[in-house]
Amino acid sequence: MNEHVHDCIIIGAGPGGLQAAIYLGRYNRDVLLLDRSGGRTWHAPEIENVLTNRIISGREIIERGMAQARSFNVRIDRERVLSVRKEGGLFRVVADEGGHAARFVIAASGVYDKLPRLKNLTRFLGRGYYTCIDCDGYRMAGKKVVVTGDEMGSVNIAVAVKLLFTQDVTYLPWGFELPESAKEMLKEEGIAVAAGEAVSIMGHDKMEGLELSDGRTILCEAVMASFGVTLNDAFLAGLDLKRDSLGSRYVVSRTYESSVDGLYIVGPLNTGQDQVVIAAGEGATAAIEINRRLLQQQLEAGAEAQVCTWRR
Ligand SMILES: Cc1cc2nc3c(=O)[nH]c(=O)nc-3n(C[C@H](O)[C@H](O)[C@H](O)COP(=O)(O)OP(=O)(O)OC[C@H]3O[C@@H](n4cnc5c(N)ncnc54)[C@H](O)[C@@H]3O)c2cc1C
């Protein structure tokens, strides 16, 4: 029996994967979208910077995107992808429920935030506890804000929050010694520096502050935290993919193709910005390019068939 080969397998039903699926579905391509469920967008309660939506939850974006993709005959299976290999010009994708084959693959599985050990964090994630200044800095306008993080980048975020959104910023280094130069910079910008180990977020419906291990409190209405992210990319381990100079994010071309021919990587797995509309735009770009290449393959196959007929 002939093996079924999909035109494209997409891994991850976030904005990147869903937008790619909608484009490829509308080219009448054979698309399989594999998603294990959950993800960064799913956990964002209020998104305000998506064109035409003053405010929308991440969950709504995903649910509406899935329905839209299905309406263009995209098959969506709830499966976790375990590995991707390339053999004889085809991709072999192994997931929880078995194996699949495809001519092209789009990895759109995103990243997840590293979260510190802090009581009540899940209650306030996206509702007072924020991890991205581009997403949520605007919500801090005029508020009493604590910026924290475990590396120097968080100092720059504290300065940006002060310059862009609010005068009342306190910086709390998380488990590292602030260099003198950073202390001076924060002082120059009028940012107070706190010391101590935060253990809990205070408040019920609204954030009221941080409680420290020694019983002291820092009053605040919002926390901007920077602890980095982990890539959802274990399934790519068997491919020798080119990464950035830090050995972390994947290097891609202008059409989001990775260093492996036919494998596209969209969203925050690559070196670009981590935003809903950017992941979606990257998904659309990859899909348009994949469709162009599939058309080319069809034309070449047609020409070859014609040559064979002439030779016969
Ligand atoms: C609290 C919060 C607030 C945010 N606010 C905003 C905002 O206001 N504006 C904005 O633009 N962005 C915001 N973001 C960021 C936004 O969610 C990301 O930019 C977006 O998620 C990137 O989309 P993506 O498609 O790459 O990944 P994701 O949305 O993370 O989707 C990836 C999908 O892949 C799946 N997956 C992962 N691994 C596998 C696997 N092995 N097999 C199968 N499936 C897999 C996941 O389950 C998930 O469904 C916010 C994020 C958070 C956490």
Side-chain angles (χ1 to χ4, degrees):
M1 218 175 72
N2 277 347
E3 174 187 37
H4 183 83
V5 178
H6 299 281
D7 288 326
C8 184
I9 291 178
I10 300 172
I11 303 162
L18 285 167
Q19 188 71 74
I22 289 164
Y23 270 69
L24 287 168
R26 293 186 71 257
Y27 294 126
N28 295 315
R29 296 299 180 188
D30 174 344
V31 184
L32 173 62
L33 173 50
L34 299 170
D35 183 69
R36 71 173 182 199
S37 89
R40 273 194 108 214
T41 308
W42 184 262
H43 285 106
E46 292 175 342
I47 294 179
E48 292 183 336
N49 55 7
V50 171
L51 189 69
T52 75
N53 285 292
R54 177 60 181 82
I55 190 158
I56 187 167
S57 73
R59 203 171 278 214
E60 201 178 347
I61 292 176
I62 303 303
E63 284 170 350
R64 283 162 63 170
M66 280 185 157
Q68 195 176 350
R70 283 197 177 103
S71 77
F72 298 119
N73 297 318
V74 171
R75 180 176 139 196
I76 303 179
D77 284 0
R78 181 113 309 166
E79 280 192 69
R80 186 167 58 109
V81 172
L82 305 173
S83 70
V84 176
R85 285 175 296 124
K86 195 169 183 195
E87 281 170 12
L90 287 184
F91 287 97
R92 305 278 165 194
V93 176
V94 177
D96 285 337
E97 305 287 325
H100 310 274
R103 293 177 183 84
F104 292 91
V105 166
I106 300 178
S109 48
V111 298
Y112 64 90
D113 292 284
K114 290 181 190 166
L115 298 173
R117 192 183 288 263
L118 201 51
K119 204 172 153 206
N120 296 331
L121 197 160
T122 44
R123 185 190 303 168
F124 290 103
L125 182 63
R127 289 196 173 89
Y129 181 98
Y130 302 112
T131 59
C132 159
I133 189 169
D134 304 304
C135 307
D136 296 311
Y138 183 81
R139 288 167 200 276
M140 302 188 162
K143 288 191 176 160
K144 195 173 181 57
V145 174
V146 169
V147 178
T148 186
D150 59 358
E151 40 73 58
M152 276 298 293
S154 53
V155 173
N156 298 332
I157 293 172
V159 173
V161 169
K162 174 89 196 293
L163 291 176
L164 293 170
F165 303 115
T166 180
Q167 292 301 301
D168 195 343
V169 181
T170 300
Y171 179 72
L172 174 67
W174 191 288
F176 78 104
E177 189 67 36
L178 260 188
E180 282 308 315
S181 57
K183 284 183 190 162
E184 266 168 40
M185 181 164 84
L186 290 164
K187 194 173 169 193
E188 251 171 50
E189 297 299 334
I191 297 171
V193 177
E197 185 199 352
V199 289
S200 177
I201 300 178
M202 295 150 49
H204 291 280
D205 299 331
K206 274 188 175 172
M207 184 181 287
E208 290 168 8
L210 290 175
E211 189 182 343
L212 305 182
S213 58
D214 57 12
R216 286 179 301 132
T217 57
I218 308 173
L219 297 182
C220 65
E221 297 163 279
V223 169
M224 177 60 75
S226 172
F227 291 91
V229 293
T230 302
L231 275 54
N232 295 324
D233 67 343
F235 57 87
L236 295 174
L239 298 165
D240 188 21
L241 289 161
K242 193 170 169 201
R243 299 198 193 221
D244 63 14
S245 56
L246 300 171
S248 169
R249 314 259 181 159
Y250 295 98
V251 174
V252 289
S253 71
R254 252 175 6 100
T255 56
Y256 304 100
E257 189 173 20
S258 70
S259 54
V260 167
D261 182 22
L263 172 71
Y264 291 72
I265 299 181
V266 304
L269 286 182
N270 69 37
T271 52
Q273 299 291 334
D274 181 5
Q275 291 286 283
V276 166
V277 293
I278 294 176
E282 294 181 2
T285 306
I288 289 170
E289 176 65 5
I290 288 171
N291 180 59
R292 191 193 62 75
R293 290 179 65 179
L294 284 165
L295 268 176
Q296 204 175 337
Q297 288 178 6
Q298 283 173 287
L299 288 172
E300 282 164 10
E304 230 166 73
Q306 235 171 1
V307 171
C308 291
T309 322
W310 292 335
R311 280 193 186 142
R312 241 187 261 133

